[in-house]
Amino acid sequence: MMTKNAPFLNDTVVNAVCLGQFNDIFSVLGMHSSPEKNGLMVSCFLPEATQVEVLDAKNNRKVATLDCLDQRGFFNGKIPRRKNRFNYLLKVTYPLTVIEINDPYQYDSVLDEKDVYLFNEGSQLQSYRFQGANWAKQQSTTGVHFCVWAPNATQVSLIGDFNHWDPKKHILRKHIASGLWDIFIPDVTEGMYYKFSILDSHGNRVEKSDPYAKAMQAAPGNAAIVAKNTEYCWHDQNWLVTRKANSQKPTLASHAQPMSIYEVQLASWRRKGDNGEHYFDYYDLIEQLIPYVVDMGFSHLQLMPISEYPFDGSWGYQPVGLFAPSYRFGDADGLKAFIDACHQQGIAVLLDWVPAHFPKDPHGLARFDGTCLYEHQDPRLGEHPDWDTLIYNYDRAEVTSFLLSNAYYWLSEFHFDGLRLDAVSSMLYLDYSREHDQWLPNEHGGRENLAAISFLKRLNIDMYQAFPGIDMIAEESTAWGGVTQSTEQHGLGFGYKWNMGWMNDTLSYLCRDALYRRYHHNEMTFGLVYAFTEQFILSLSHDEVVHGKGSLIAKIPGDDWQKFATLRAYFGFMWAHPGKKLLFMGNEFAQRNEWNHNQSLDWHLLDYLPHQGIQNWVKSLNHFYHQTSALFSLDNHHTGFRWLDCHNEDDSVLVFARYGQTEDEHVIVIVNMTPNVHHGFRVGLAKDCQYFEALNSDAAEFGGSNVCNTKPIIAESLPWQGLPFSGLISMPPLATVFISPKNSQQHKQTKLLDK
């Protein structure tokens, strides 16, 4: 303990303390050397107390009885013949009880100068370890260290269960240079609710939840919650070691491996209760979601945002508690157990992360200390007109530390395998979705958000360095160049970019009647013009099945036979196309209705054969994809793809080859997007050998009409489509067919669901 100077006490000081208006509270309360330098003095403020005694914490012996200087609860007294401060307890008598408390004002700050420096510099990756509510020890006493950044506040108090939400009882210590406020409180238990009561320079007091809260109360309370004082015991060390090791080997690194992502919103994948009124918790999901993902053959699970969000309808994209796993599905240990179980089953887990904006909820970050602290003050920089949300001020070093630390937190504390960044386009452009007079140019007169660009580069550098083998993914919908180029090459440094152009073009094609698709053939082929300019993920996400867009199956014209056949053909084209794959939940069994976040998916549809067929087709595509290196190992290079026929718009047929590391590793893909059957359809073949049908979306087991190629396809010495050999196949209606030199029985994985 450091020696404290004696406080200057008079009626004005005492009155200010009693009114909760004295800001430098640690200079008055606690233990100090006495003015006469011949002992120690203790002051405390304990409303409604009738007597206060000071006990030596070592032996619980009384060393002083304090005088009541003000009936509102201000006590003060001298401890003679003691020069050095010591750990003490206050024995407090109330009208109906007597309790012993550890006086929080006897403890020094535990903030580390280096941590604080890095935070103010904008390079702190672990600010959650000293901000928020963190368990700590002071002089063998266990308690919680509370800390918050509020540089423009005139006073910050901690309010909660432990002090009857009274802002006068626990006023924090201000560190003027850093803008941090902190206090160590011993008498706190896990699960207690708390907030920060902040007094701004105009005398206005607001109650804010903790920006670094690791758990939060549901609305309308919205308080932060003191987290558990225990560590989760992980069992995925082999996974993490292998992930890191593979990242150093080109053939085992992410870009050369299959990636088939199942995007899930945990609140609506499946529910329980008589009327589906209850969410699955993480342990329900361990039992049901993980086996389903494994059986379906997906390699990755992507969770839509799970940081605490008050409004269900935001789907998590307007988070208030960026460090708090949502209460809806359980606690932090439950989430860790879920990810742990995924890893043990070979499933990587990605998190949808939202660093582009935050909502205006009064208990959140908006005008946090009475000023625009996390956001820009000028609405032309600080507000999203489309979403009525606020934009982070990436120019501010402490905001950068906040966001970097949050990314680090999820990857470190929860072992996520990567982050998918939402709305990156809105971060890159100052004029994003704005009229000409609604934005401000950058210092060079341009529309690029230089601070956000710098942040994104720093984020990717730091996260890839700290967690080798993870994947950083950008949802970026414009033609911004170099999203997945390294920062050394002046790129943004992401590992992947969602291919929004491919998605928009091909879904537009899908919505057209088969009769008119010949006039829009380019919508299926144009994606190959730029397919290798970035590291792409082909995404059919939640955004494509909401807000009146209809489900995938509902977008397709025609009767049910055409709808299901077309969707199977389209999925086959997607899995064969260069780029990793992402499919939103429900699409894998042709959910008919738009996604509704308020209810479970329509699992009853699997009672019907057409929906079973779609599900079996996606399952078979995943298994075939993972076993066929030609479909993934050169996703990012033009040598892995070759058009054989991209000009047959009259028949709406596409033919192309996919190659692995050698030309011997190849698959030929034929896509027919009309209801017409083509018998004796000639395709080019690369080798003088027999080819076999490996997968056919028209097979009966997938709900098709079973126009299949049961016999080998014989290579003839007849050049075709630029290849030296060719052969004849039967081309079924609205179908995708894969043929390869390998026997089809080595590839087929068409286990039907047990019914």
Side-chain angles (χ1 to χ4, degrees):
M1 282 185 175
M2 298 175 61
T3 302
K4 288 185 178 181
N5 294 326
F8 175 73
L9 293 181
N10 58 27
D11 290 344
T12 301
V13 171
V14 172
N15 184 57
V17 171
C18 293
L19 293 174
Q21 297 173 352
F22 195 87
N23 296 331
D24 189 13
I25 197 71
F26 277 80
S27 69
V28 174
L29 301 185
M31 181 178 282
H32 305 265
S33 58
S34 69
E36 296 82 10
K37 307 295 183 183
N38 60 351
L40 299 172
M41 186 193 313
V42 174
S43 298
C44 62
F45 176 61
L46 297 166
E48 300 180 7
T50 59
Q51 178 178 288
V52 179
E53 297 172 321
V54 180
L55 310 179
D56 189 326
K58 284 186 178 180
N59 51 33
N60 224 42
R61 292 177 59 183
K62 184 175 78 171
V63 295
T65 299
L66 304 184
D67 298 322
C68 181
L69 301 188
D70 191 295
Q71 293 299 319
R72 288 172 291 182
F74 193 98
F75 293 81
N76 171 268
K78 185 176 180 181
I79 304 173
R81 299 183 298 278
R82 301 287 289 263
K83 294 183 179 181
N84 297 319
R85 290 169 58 204
F86 58 92
N87 196 19
Y88 64 90
L89 304 172
L90 297 176
K91 184 177 181 181
V92 186
T93 301
Y94 291 100
L96 298 178
T97 187
V98 178
I99 62 172
E100 293 182 3
I101 64 172
N102 267 298
D103 184 5
Y105 293 102
Q106 68 181 298
Y107 297 105
D108 297 323
S109 175
V110 299
L111 289 176
D112 179 82
E113 288 185 7
K114 182 179 179 181
D115 283 336
V116 173
Y117 174 81
L118 293 175
F119 172 69
N120 291 131
E121 184 190 54
S123 56
Q124 176 59 260
L125 300 182
Q126 301 182 59
S127 52
Y128 61 89
R129 293 190 180 276
F130 60 89
Q131 290 194 59
N134 289 285
W135 291 93
K137 272 196 172 184
Q138 283 257 52
Q139 303 155 28
S140 302
T141 299
T142 299
V144 177
H145 175 244
F146 294 90
C147 180
V148 66
W149 179 56
N152 303 303
T154 58
Q155 186 189 87
V156 177
S157 299
L158 187 72
I159 55 176
D161 294 343
F162 40 85
N163 63 14
H164 306 289
W165 302 88
D166 185 347
K168 298 188 295 293
K169 290 186 175 179
H170 291 105
I171 298 173
L172 279 63
R173 173 196 296 108
K174 183 174 185 178
H175 301 263
I176 297 174
S178 65
L180 295 172
W181 300 72
D182 79 325
I183 192 171
F184 174 79
I185 302 181
D187 300 316
V188 176
T189 57
E190 61 185 42
M192 281 188 166
Y193 295 150
Y194 71 96
K195 288 183 179 180
F196 293 111
S197 177
I198 298 177
L199 188 69
D200 68 18
S201 59
H202 301 291
N204 302 311
R205 188 175 289 276
V206 293
E207 293 182 0
K208 293 287 188 177
S209 192
D210 181 1
Y212 288 87
K214 296 179 178 67
M216 285 184 69
Q217 180 189 23
N222 300 314
I225 301 174
V226 176
K228 292 180 179 179
N229 187 21
T230 55
E231 292 289 332
Y232 177 81
C233 182
W234 289 89
H235 302 89
D236 66 345
Q237 294 309 309
N238 289 340
W239 172 274
L240 297 180
V241 169
T242 301
R243 186 184 74 183
K244 179 178 180 179
N246 288 350
S247 70
Q248 311 301 322
K249 303 173 184 177
T251 58
L252 295 177
S254 175
H255 295 127
Q257 292 298 307
M259 178 184 286
S260 180
I261 306 168
Y262 188 53
E263 185 191 23
V264 169
Q265 205 247 2
L266 295 181
S268 55
W269 180 73
R270 185 170 281 165
R271 291 194 176 192
K272 59 187 178 182
D274 293 339
N275 298 302
E277 67 273 21
H278 299 303
Y279 300 123
F280 269 23
D281 64 26
Y282 289 115
Y283 297 98
D284 296 322
L285 294 164
I286 288 173
E287 291 182 0
Q288 296 197 37
L289 177 56
I290 295 176
Y292 181 77
V293 172
V294 171
D295 182 56
M296 288 298 297
F298 290 101
S299 61
H300 290 64
L301 184 61
Q302 181 171 304
L303 306 183
M304 286 172 65
I306 58 171
S307 300
E308 196 56 77
Y309 54 101
F311 176 48
D312 287 344
S314 78
W315 313 330
Y317 290 102
Q318 294 193 9
V320 172
L322 214 58
F323 287 82
S326 176
Y327 74 92
R328 294 165 176 81
F329 319 113
D331 61 12
D333 281 353
L335 175 57
K336 291 174 182 178
F338 174 75
I339 297 172
D340 201 355
C342 284
H343 288 170
Q344 292 176 58
Q345 292 298 315
I347 302 297
V349 189
L350 306 171
L351 176 64
D352 209 332
W353 189 54
V354 189
H357 63 134
F358 59 92
K360 298 178 180 178
D361 296 67
H363 66 285
L365 297 180
R367 297 192 68 86
F368 188 79
D369 63 356
T371 68
C372 292
L373 189 62
Y374 286 86
E375 71 273 29
H376 289 275
Q377 185 166 355
D378 192 322
R380 291 173 295 179
L381 294 171
E383 293 191 22
H384 270 305
D386 287 349
W387 307 320
D388 193 30
T389 54
L390 300 174
I391 301 170
Y392 286 104
N393 183 351
Y394 306 104
D395 279 310
R396 191 149 198 168
E398 294 88 350
V399 174
T400 298
S401 285
F402 172 77
L403 291 171
L404 290 175
S405 294
N406 188 248
Y408 190 99
Y409 171 74
W410 293 110
L411 295 170
S412 174
E413 301 297 316
F414 291 88
H415 294 194
F416 277 101
D417 298 288
L419 302 175
R420 175 267 190 187
L421 272 66
D422 176 62
V424 170
S425 299
S426 74
M427 299 173 68
L428 295 175
Y429 300 98
L430 293 166
D431 63 344
Y432 180 85
S433 193
R434 298 176 187 271
E435 300 297 331
H436 71 278
D437 59 345
Q438 293 180 336
W439 62 282
L440 295 177
N442 61 35
E443 61 195 66
H444 306 296
R447 60 198 283 253
E448 299 81 11
N449 188 334
L450 302 179
I453 294 166
S454 178
F455 163 73
L456 291 171
K457 291 181 177 181
R458 178 65 184 273
L459 170 75
N460 287 321
I461 290 170
D462 286 348
M463 296 309 114
Y464 274 119
Q465 183 176 22
F467 308 100
I470 62 161
D471 293 307
M472 300 294 289
I473 303 167
E475 183 205 20
E476 205 289 297
S477 56
T478 74
W480 186 280
V483 172
T484 58
Q485 282 185 337
S486 69
T487 55
E488 290 86 354
Q489 297 174 312
H490 309 292
L492 295 181
F494 283 95
Y496 291 100
K497 170 181 172 173
W498 276 16
N499 195 334
M500 311 295 279
W502 175 91
M503 177 272 297
N504 282 312
D505 285 347
T506 60
L507 287 184
S508 177
Y509 182 89
L510 198 70
C511 295
R512 303 184 189 281
D513 189 286
L515 183 63
Y516 302 110
R517 287 176 182 157
R518 65 175 66 187
Y519 305 113
H520 303 276
H521 200 65
N522 64 301
E523 291 176 338
M524 294 288 274
T525 61
F526 182 68
L528 270 301
V529 172
Y530 59 88
F532 309 108
T533 60
E534 301 276 9
Q535 308 276 4
F536 280 121
I537 293 176
L538 308 182
S539 59
L540 294 176
S541 73
H542 63 278
D543 279 329
E544 315 320 318
V545 292
V546 289
H547 300 320
K549 296 178 184 177
S551 66
L552 291 188
I553 196 75
K555 296 178 193 293
I556 303 169
D559 57 21
D560 259 14
W561 177 84
Q562 289 193 64
K563 287 177 179 287
F564 281 89
T566 302
L567 186 59
R568 291 193 303 269
Y570 178 68
F571 282 161
F573 172 73
M574 175 181 176
W575 259 254
H577 194 285
K580 310 308 181 186
K581 327 299 174 189
L582 180 142
L583 196 63
F584 181 58
M585 64 182 196
N587 288 334
E588 79 278 11
F589 61 83
Q591 168 108 357
R592 287 184 181 269
N593 294 322
E594 271 195 350
W595 168 54
N596 183 347
H597 69 272
N598 282 320
Q599 65 184 48
S600 167
L601 296 177
D602 294 332
W603 293 100
H604 65 276
L605 293 176
L606 286 171
D607 292 337
Y608 303 97
L609 291 176
H611 295 278
Q612 291 180 28
I614 290 283
Q615 187 187 55
N616 286 330
W617 175 238
V618 172
K619 183 191 304 186
S620 295
L621 282 172
N622 272 333
H623 287 293
F624 181 61
Y625 169 64
H626 280 77
Q627 295 170 358
T628 309
S629 63
L631 293 178
F632 59 78
S633 63
L634 289 177
D635 263 338
N636 59 343
H637 200 274
H638 66 88
T639 58
F641 180 90
R642 181 176 182 177
W643 277 119
L644 302 181
D645 189 353
C646 62
H647 299 296
N648 190 353
E649 57 267 15
D650 287 340
D651 292 325
S652 295
V653 169
L654 302 164
V655 186
F656 55 90
R658 293 297 309 276
Y659 292 94
Q661 299 298 327
T662 68
E663 286 207 356
D664 287 338
E665 297 177 76
H666 70 277
V667 175
I668 294 174
V669 183
I670 310 99
V671 185
N672 178 13
M673 296 303 292
T674 71
N676 300 320
V677 180
H678 300 281
H679 293 294
F681 189 87
R682 187 170 292 277
V683 296
L685 302 175
K687 295 185 67 177
D688 183 14
C689 67
Q690 292 185 349
Y691 283 77
F692 299 86
E693 182 180 276
L695 272 182
N696 184 335
S697 67
D698 194 54
E701 60 217 83
F702 307 129
S705 54
N706 214 33
V707 177
C708 297
N709 295 274
T710 57
K711 296 180 180 179
I713 299 157
I714 308 299
E716 304 175 31
S717 297
L718 177 62
W720 198 263
Q721 298 169 331
L723 292 175
F725 305 98
S726 62
L728 299 176
I729 72 165
S730 293
M731 189 63 230
L734 294 169
T736 297
V737 176
F738 296 77
I739 63 172
S740 78
K742 297 180 181 179
N743 189 295
S744 61
Q745 296 305 315
Q746 296 173 337
H747 291 291
K748 283 191 176 181
Q749 299 287 335
T750 56
K751 293 181 290 184
L752 296 175
L753 292 175
D754 293 327
K755 284 291 172 186

